[in-house]
Amino acid sequence: MSLSIRNQIPGTVTSVTPGEVMATVKVRLDGGQDITAAITLDAVKELGLADRSAVRALVKSTEVSLATAAVKGLSIRNQLPGTVSDIATGGAMASVKVTVPGGELTSVITKDAVTDLGLTTGSSVVALIKSTEVSLAAV
């Protein structure tokens, strides 16, 4: 199946913590970073997710925010450090490619945000992704 989701990073499940309806699934990405996904218990069961399951973490590019440094005092669990590898700007929006260990993320943000953050190719950034915006695909 082909998907329009640009961000598809391989990893391995390291833990599944079930709740009433949702579960948090921690994944060690192939580059060594950890990412947390909040998905339904039904999805955990249907995908057969357990410790050491191979998965792909999927995140829409519009759900990846960027910061110029790690952010403290924030509820967003997923903070992946990386380096800007490319910026394509349009009239109002920009597509920013970020190289992270083991892969690449694309973030779609406003052109004004690129300017305000002073982003250029080679800039150090931190990709911020809410756990509820991370989907998982079994591989």
Side-chain angles (χ1 to χ4, degrees):
M1 172 190 325
S2 294
L3 297 172
S4 64
I5 297 175
R6 299 296 88 200
N7 299 314
Q8 301 182 27
I9 302 174
T12 304
V13 173
T14 58
S15 71
V16 177
T17 305
E20 293 290 321
V21 175
M22 302 285 289
T24 57
V25 180
K26 292 193 180 189
V27 175
R28 170 76 36 96
L29 301 176
D30 284 0
Q33 323 88 311
D34 292 317
I35 193 167
T36 300
I39 61 174
T40 65
L41 280 176
D42 287 344
V44 169
K45 291 174 188 168
E46 289 170 15
L47 294 171
L49 298 181
D51 201 29
R52 294 190 230 157
S53 296
V55 295
R56 282 194 170 279
L58 310 171
V59 183
K60 289 176 61 175
S61 58
T62 53
E63 300 302 332
V64 179
S65 297
L66 298 177
T68 55
V71 182
K72 294 182 185 228
L74 187 67
S75 66
I76 296 175
R77 299 292 85 194
N78 301 310
Q79 298 193 30
L80 305 175
T83 304
V84 173
S85 58
D86 186 54
I87 301 172
T89 56
M93 301 299 290
S95 176
V96 181
K97 291 190 182 201
V98 178
T99 301
V100 297
E104 184 175 73
L105 290 171
T106 299
S107 173
V108 174
I109 59 177
T110 65
K111 184 177 166 184
D112 288 344
V114 170
T115 301
D116 291 347
L117 294 172
L119 299 181
T120 61
T121 301
S123 294
S124 293
V125 293
V126 176
L128 306 168
I129 308 164
K130 290 179 64 172
S131 59
T132 53
E133 299 303 330
V134 178
S135 296
L136 298 175
V139 292

